[in-house]
Amino acid sequence: MPAAYAAVSRAAEPTANQVLTWTAGDDYMKYTSAPVTAVAGKATIVFDNSAAAGNTTGLSHTLTFDVSNPDYNNDVSLNILSSPFDSEGGRHTAEVTLTPGVYHYFCAMPGHQMMSGELIVTAAPDDDTTAPDASATVAGTKDSSGNYVGSASVTLTASDAESGVAGIEYALDGASYGAYTAPVVVNTVGHHTLTYRATDKAGNTSPAKSVEFTIVATPPQDNTPPDTSATVSGTKDSSGNYVSSATVTVTASDTESGLADIEYALDGASYRAYTAPVEVNTVGHHTLTYRATDKAGNTSPAKSVEFTIVATPPQDNTPPDTSATVSGTKDSSGNYVSSATVTVTASDTESGLADIEYALDGASYRAYTAPVEVNTVGHHTLTYRATDKAGNTSPAKSVEFTIVAAPPQDRTPPQVSASVSGTKNDSGDYVGSATVTVTASDTDSGVARIEYSLDGGPYLQYSAPVVIDRAGSHAFLYRATDKAGNTSTPQSLSLTIVDSKPPTYCPETDDRSTVFVGSINTGVPNRVTTNGCTINELIEDHRAWDNHGTFVSHVGDIVTTLRKEGVLDQREAAEIKKAAGHSDIGMPSHGPAGH
């Protein structure tokens, strides 16, 4: 078994409250089955790649949870390699603890990366103390004063990120609440108030909100006929006559009751329904008359356009011009690697192009409808020709090219290294700041990206040397990934920064190892932020607060900023916000927070 994958032993009996099962088989593009949702808490992961589950070829797969992407939960490190021929027969289990959010999973076997998906984990209903968010929109036809003409439709929506929405209720103009099942249509003239609220599956009900709107009566009947116009298109000669045919397009509009139909009459014939542009191809002078009627029964005055059609000029005896280009990835000898694409073009300035044909390596001609991709190794000749609408066929031309096999697949991760620069003191510590420069190389597919993590934080994209200016000891991890998807083993370096200037002022001093909100320990590391203060020092929960909501809003602003700066990941930010909501800081009975 490769050292990069760790086998997970099958448990005798699952002990978690929920069992989540993934299955794999002969397909390397997707898992045979996979769960979509789960509830936060303990879970038994089952990965079944056995013959009984459908693997008839002995193909190996993995179930790997992504812990490198800060946009997903990364608190479950799971990497199960399974084969029908391993000691477990291809069926493995693992016990994990899931937290609310989204997990990204995939198969890490080379060439199997299309096998991926997302697992959405919601909070257990008993933990949900937050009411749903509810909103309303009013739709309908408005007049110039913003009132709704004739009627208005109120659409209610609600969302709950924890236990989910159970139902929505509404009350119109002070009546009793009723269940909301579809948009509410109100057609009584006057001013209206619609009050609404939502309840989640944990029983939390949102504060009542309302929307106000006014309905006015429909304006008087439409007595104005539609506006109409017409345009003539086609190929003209030097005298402005249309060659062979002309197309008349009629348009009409009505801003009051709306358009009902359009009619036309050609050269004095009876009116008929206009449903599409009218093509006229009879040589001579023509008059097309048209009119339109709106939904109120008003018909516009008849209008007309005149035009002349002349016969097509003498026959085309000149074949089309043709050319071809070959594109693709070339090696140093000019051969195409794996495949080549031949694009054939043709033009005819007289009668116009009818079709293009091609023949590959002496086979019969076939219709050319799109660039031809050739992926067979060897020397090739593609012959091509074109025919115009007058029946003239161009002389056959050809292009020659050679295709060679693609080199072996890249399975070697990049080489990565880092260096530290800065001013050192006699003890070897860096004074004021240090700059870490990371370099990587890959001689096969090439380097795709470099990432780094500082002091246990999430991995971030490396785009320029990293300056560290916070006094203290620091741990710096770094790694690189090539274009074939191979990621190097993370490497690390340690360094110490000593102050070269007075310390940064912070609202309070708090260097506890984890973030506390009041007496609640979130378990999130109390990291140093970009302005030199720790997370606890920025929260400063022991000072007097006007109310609990002000404190919760203050914490929300801080974690949003730290999330954007990469100091916190999604899960850590959510933990701190949740602790702020559960704390009693800012409530009347709350005194100064102790440390």
Side-chain angles (χ1 to χ4, degrees):
M1 182 179 298
Y5 302 96
V8 179
S9 299
R10 180 191 301 173
E13 289 292 335
T15 60
N17 293 331
Q18 56 186 328
V19 178
L20 305 176
T21 302
W22 280 258
T23 62
D26 298 337
D27 195 343
Y28 64 89
M29 302 291 288
K30 63 181 183 300
Y31 290 97
T32 303
S33 68
V36 177
T37 61
V39 178
K42 292 185 177 180
T44 297
I45 303 295
V46 178
F47 182 37
D48 193 350
N49 188 29
S50 65
N55 191 327
T56 64
T57 62
L59 192 66
S60 293
H61 295 292
T62 77
L63 175 61
T64 305
F65 273 41
D66 186 358
V67 296
S68 64
N69 191 333
D71 292 330
Y72 293 97
N73 290 10
N74 55 25
D75 56 348
V76 173
S77 180
L78 186 69
N79 191 28
I80 304 175
L81 172 63
S82 176
S83 164
F85 307 122
D86 62 28
S87 61
E88 301 297 333
R91 181 180 173 88
H92 299 258
T93 64
E95 302 296 328
V96 300
T97 299
L98 304 175
T99 56
V102 181
Y103 292 86
H104 175 232
Y105 60 85
F106 61 96
C107 178
M109 295 295 291
H112 295 199
Q113 283 79 8
M114 293 76 71
M115 297 174 65
S116 66
E118 293 181 347
L119 177 66
I120 301 173
V121 179
T122 59
D126 292 342
D127 294 336
D128 179 9
T129 60
T130 304
D133 288 328
S135 62
T137 56
V138 184
T141 302
K142 289 184 178 182
D143 61 16
S144 58
S145 300
N147 300 317
Y148 291 88
V149 179
S151 66
S153 176
V154 184
T155 300
L156 304 181
T157 59
S159 63
D160 189 274
E162 298 185 38
S163 61
V165 176
I168 306 174
E169 298 175 296
Y170 76 95
L172 180 62
D173 297 333
S176 300
Y177 276 100
Y180 174 85
T181 58
V184 181
V185 178
V186 184
N187 51 27
T188 304
V189 172
H191 188 75
H192 299 278
T193 301
L194 188 143
T195 306
Y196 58 96
R197 64 191 180 189
T199 303
D200 63 20
K201 295 177 182 178
N204 303 299
T205 300
S206 65
K209 298 180 181 179
S210 63
V211 290
E212 297 185 29
F213 51 95
T214 299
I215 297 175
V216 296
T218 302
Q221 184 177 359
D222 172 17
N223 293 313
T224 305
D227 289 326
T228 59
S229 63
T231 58
V232 184
S233 60
T235 302
K236 290 184 177 182
D237 61 15
S238 58
S239 301
N241 299 316
Y242 291 88
V243 178
S244 182
S245 67
T247 300
V248 183
T249 301
V250 181
T251 58
S253 62
D254 189 274
T255 59
E256 298 184 35
S257 60
L259 194 65
D261 59 64
I262 305 173
E263 298 175 296
Y264 77 96
L266 180 62
D267 297 333
S270 300
Y271 276 101
R272 60 191 302 176
Y274 175 89
T275 58
V278 180
E279 184 177 353
V280 183
N281 49 28
T282 304
V283 172
H285 187 76
H286 300 279
T287 300
L288 187 141
T289 306
Y290 56 96
R291 65 188 181 188
T293 302
D294 63 21
K295 294 178 181 178
N298 304 300
T299 300
S300 66
K303 297 180 182 178
S304 62
V305 290
E306 298 185 30
F307 52 94
T308 299
I309 298 175
V310 296
T312 304
Q315 185 177 0
D316 170 17
N317 293 313
T318 305
D321 289 328
T322 59
S323 63
T325 59
V326 185
S327 61
T329 302
K330 290 184 177 182
D331 61 15
S332 58
S333 301
N335 299 317
Y336 291 89
V337 179
S338 294
S339 68
T341 300
V342 183
T343 302
V344 181
T345 58
S347 62
D348 190 273
T349 59
E350 298 185 36
S351 61
L353 193 66
D355 59 65
I356 306 174
E357 298 175 296
Y358 76 96
L360 181 63
D361 297 332
S364 300
Y365 276 100
R366 59 191 303 177
Y368 175 89
T369 59
V372 180
E373 183 176 356
V374 184
N375 50 28
T376 304
V377 172
H379 187 76
H380 300 279
T381 300
L382 187 141
T383 305
Y384 57 95
R385 64 189 182 190
T387 302
D388 62 20
K389 293 177 181 178
N392 303 299
T393 300
S394 65
K397 297 180 182 178
S398 63
V399 290
E400 298 186 30
F401 52 94
T402 299
I403 297 175
V404 295
Q409 185 179 359
D410 177 17
R411 300 179 184 275
T412 305
Q415 297 290 322
V416 62
S417 62
S419 61
V420 185
S421 61
T423 303
K424 290 185 177 183
N425 61 17
D426 293 339
S427 300
D429 299 327
Y430 291 90
V431 179
S433 66
T435 300
V436 181
T437 301
V438 183
T439 59
S441 62
D442 189 274
T443 58
D444 293 338
S445 60
V447 175
R449 66 180 181 276
I450 303 173
E451 300 169 295
Y452 74 94
S453 168
L454 180 61
D455 296 334
Y459 273 98
L460 303 175
Q461 184 79 21
Y462 174 88
S463 59
V466 179
V467 177
I468 305 172
D469 56 9
R470 172 68 179 182
S473 297
H474 300 279
F476 186 94
L477 301 179
Y478 55 96
R479 64 189 182 190
T481 301
D482 62 22
K483 295 177 181 178
N486 304 299
T487 301
S488 64
T489 301
Q491 300 187 42
S492 65
L493 57 84
S494 300
L495 60 134
T496 300
I497 307 294
V498 295
D499 282 332
S500 62
K501 56 185 178 180
T504 302
Y505 172 75
C506 298
E508 63 175 343
T509 300
D510 191 336
D511 57 0
R512 287 176 289 180
S513 60
T514 57
V515 175
F516 278 76
V517 180
S519 60
I520 300 174
N521 184 355
T522 67
V524 177
N526 185 26
R527 302 188 183 98
V528 175
T529 66
T530 56
N531 70 350
C533 300
T534 66
I535 299 173
N536 277 336
E537 291 169 356
L538 293 181
I539 292 176
E540 191 186 6
D541 56 11
H542 70 284
R543 69 179 174 89
W545 294 93
D546 293 340
N547 52 62
H548 181 64
T550 301
F551 173 70
V552 173
S553 178
H554 163 73
V555 173
D557 291 341
I558 288 174
V559 299
T560 297
T561 299
L562 297 183
R563 179 83 171 86
K564 292 178 180 178
E565 294 175 350
V567 177
L568 296 174
D569 60 25
Q570 179 184 6
R571 182 193 63 80
E572 294 170 336
E575 287 293 336
I576 296 174
K577 288 174 66 177
K578 180 179 179 182
H582 288 175
S583 74
D584 60 355
I585 297 173
M587 295 183 180
S589 61
H590 176 75
H595 289 180

